[in-house]
Amino acid sequence: MTATRILVLNSGSSSVKYQLLDMRDDTRLAVGLVERIGEETSRLKHTPLTGGGESGGESREQNRPIADHDEALKAVAEELSRDGLGLDSPELAAIGHRVVHGGKQFTEPTVIDDAVLKEVERLIPVAPLHNPANLTGIRTAMALRPDLPQVAVFDTAFHTTMPESAARYAIDVETADAHRIRRYGFHGTSHAYVSRKTAELLGKRPQDVNVIVLHLGNGASASAVRGGVCVDTSMGLTPLEGLVMGTRSGDVDPAVIFHLMRVANMSADDIDVLLNKKSGLVGLCGDNDMREIRRRIDEGDEAARLAFDIYIHRLKKYIGSYYAVLGRVDAIAFTAGVGENAAPVREAAVAGLEELGLAVDGELNAVRSDEPRVISPEYARVAVAVVPTDEELEIARQTYALVANRVGERND
Ligand code: AMP
């Protein structure tokens, strides 16, 4: 098979992020972003990474109104063509789409056809912000290259292995089933990638290690992975449950919601915005960037200190509970923007947990690097690791594995 390139598309409601990769050696050929689609101030930023092409590796920007996803993808296709990487190239094997919600049924990456589109559409009530945008991106890409396999890689898929005891909420079964209310989990491609990479870092096979993955970005989630299989995760029906995040509250007593409805006269939509956009770190101290919060703490800012402490307290609770869920833990892996960069968060999250075999070596923790690395001292029973995530590479790999197999099947 000569087609070895995969285009990865992550379509949001007003943005499209993309990467073109060559799967022979996982190299990135181009990356880019179209933002503010539908506004006057749309922007496309395209960076060819091959060093060749018209711009020789320099980023190019288009600042002009881009009306919709169709126009956005056409502009992306043109930029790729300028570098000799056009979407009409026979080297393009497939397009891999990030799809946020795959419900219970999508347990694997899936080649998209009409039935799959219908199912993703049926899941809109549980992912009202994400699935419509993902669908728009898919439909646009299908119109552009109808002959090419288009693959959906679901954020929820890695978590479909959770046992019912972890996936169900303790609410009336009939009501839950009628409305598909259960814990789905998100960031699945990241948890899958990082748990596997952590095993590799320890020189072991994924099936032989138990890992707690802490994906701490602007959105944040923890997962308990036993022998490569997810057994629990902190996000639930939606990405709101679990850890304290940049703008999301994470766990709250559900009674807070009806209390606000009754005493503050807030609507369901008002509370949705409050808990998803105005809570978490930003709600606690006005900033959601951990760098800024650390800077303010250094200046003696009390609100920033308390926000940090609440963030760490929640994180510790999840480390403890996933330790109990797994029984034996071989590694804890920190990933995403905060997890990969914020040494004080890593230090504070495991502080005082020596009895659980957890410790961080101050010097190793302070090292800045893009490489996966162990930051616990040699004597520690559990490895604490920093493992940079790469969701695009994981989507590209899963997409390529699927289409390469299909070509193999056709040849058999
Ligand atoms: P992500 O969603 O994975 O892109 O993570 C974004 C978040 O990572 C930002 O909101 C910051 O809080 C955090 N972050 C990025 N770089 C750093 C850094 N050098 N130190 C601390 N936090 C960082």
Side-chain angles (χ1 to χ4, degrees):
M1 177 165 139
T2 53
T4 55
R5 289 181 191 159
I6 299 290
L7 178 68
V8 176
L9 287 183
N10 182 352
S11 309
S13 56
S14 64
S15 69
V16 177
K17 283 189 212 142
Y18 63 93
Q19 293 198 1
L20 183 70
L21 295 98
D22 191 326
M23 302 319 292
R24 279 174 301 191
D25 51 5
D26 294 345
T27 44
R28 255 161 264 252
L29 304 173
V31 302
L33 166 71
V34 190
E35 47 189 354
R36 296 190 292 278
I37 296 170
E39 293 177 36
E40 285 299 303
T41 57
S42 321
R43 183 175 85 123
L44 186 161
K45 184 173 181 195
H46 174 86
T47 310
L49 298 171
T50 49
E54 197 180 294
S55 63
E58 294 274 308
S59 294
R60 298 191 293 269
E61 280 195 27
Q62 289 187 26
N63 291 288
R64 62 174 175 91
I66 295 175
D68 51 26
H69 282 72
D70 186 45
E71 204 178 320
L73 267 197
K74 283 186 178 140
V76 170
E78 275 164 31
E79 289 294 349
L80 287 167
S81 293
R82 286 174 67 182
D83 300 311
L85 301 169
L87 296 191
D88 48 359
S89 162
E91 288 177 72
L92 187 62
I95 300 181
H97 297 267
R98 175 185 183 219
V99 179
V100 168
H101 217 307
K104 214 174 140 178
Q105 59 270 53
F106 291 112
T107 60
E108 300 280 345
T110 306
V111 174
I112 302 167
D113 57 17
D114 284 347
V116 172
L117 285 175
K118 269 212 186 85
E119 272 309 301
V120 174
E121 212 169 286
R122 247 166 44 90
L123 289 163
I124 287 177
V126 284
L129 292 181
H130 294 105
N131 276 26
N134 300 156
L135 277 167
T136 306
I138 293 170
R139 291 207 170 97
T140 313
M142 286 177 103
L144 215 59
R145 279 298 307 266
D147 54 315
L148 202 65
Q150 312 254 348
V151 174
V153 179
F154 299 94
D155 256 23
T156 45
F158 185 61
H159 305 302
T160 53
T161 51
M162 283 197 290
E164 285 297 282
S165 52
R168 276 204 180 265
Y169 293 107
I171 62 174
D172 173 66
V173 171
E174 258 175 52
T175 309
D177 288 350
H179 301 286
R180 284 190 283 191
I181 294 169
R182 60 188 279 117
R183 308 190 57 255
Y184 295 101
F186 299 87
H187 292 143
T189 44
S190 177
H191 287 284
Y193 177 86
V194 169
S195 56
R196 238 188 306 109
K197 267 272 177 211
T198 305
E200 203 179 288
L201 180 68
L202 302 185
K204 296 193 173 158
R205 299 178 307 171
Q207 57 264 46
D208 296 331
V209 292
N210 292 351
V211 187
I212 297 173
V213 178
L214 302 170
H215 176 112
L216 310 177
N218 198 29
S221 62
S223 68
V225 183
R226 176 181 288 132
V229 175
C230 179
V231 293
D232 204 353
T233 195
S234 61
M235 285 177 166
L237 172 73
T238 77
L240 183 55
E241 191 179 341
L243 300 173
V244 175
M245 312 184 205
T247 66
R248 296 189 193 116
S249 61
D251 298 334
V252 291
D253 180 345
V256 167
I257 296 163
F258 7 109
H259 185 70
L260 282 173
M261 285 176 149
R262 291 179 189 129
V263 302
N265 221 2
M266 290 175 79
S267 68
D269 286 347
D270 293 338
I271 301 170
D272 194 330
V273 171
L274 174 80
L275 296 182
N276 275 294
K277 302 246 185 271
K278 297 184 182 170
S279 296
L281 293 170
V282 91
L284 289 166
C285 74
D287 272 308
N288 61 340
D289 192 313
M290 193 52 82
R291 286 163 286 203
E292 190 55 21
I293 290 171
R294 291 303 311 173
R295 196 191 57 72
R296 283 172 55 186
I297 291 172
D298 289 344
E299 286 175 354
D301 185 314
E302 285 299 321
R305 174 86 250 166
L306 182 59
F308 184 82
D309 290 348
I310 294 170
Y311 183 94
I312 296 296
H313 181 75
R314 185 82 52 85
L315 198 51
K316 252 191 181 148
K317 278 168 67 162
Y318 271 92
I319 292 172
S321 61
Y322 287 173
Y323 209 118
V325 165
L326 290 170
R328 187 201 84 221
V329 176
D330 300 296
I332 293 193
F334 285 90
T335 195
V338 175
E340 291 168 29
N341 296 298
V345 168
R346 298 190 296 252
E347 186 189 331
V350 301
L353 301 183
E354 293 80 7
E355 288 287 326
L356 297 180
L358 285 164
V360 156
D361 177 293
E363 264 177 47
L364 294 175
N365 191 29
V367 172
R368 299 195 64 84
S369 158
D370 293 334
E371 294 299 315
R373 57 204 184 272
V374 173
I375 58 167
S376 44
E378 216 144 280
Y379 65 79
R381 205 155 25 86
V382 178
V384 179
V386 182
V387 180
T389 193
D390 196 336
E391 289 167 280
E392 289 77 16
L393 177 60
E394 181 67 18
I395 292 172
R397 279 184 179 159
Q398 293 192 13
T399 301
Y400 189 60
L402 189 61
V403 296
N405 277 342
R406 275 161 63 96
V407 169
E409 277 165 23
R410 279 204 296 272
N411 290 342
D412 285 343

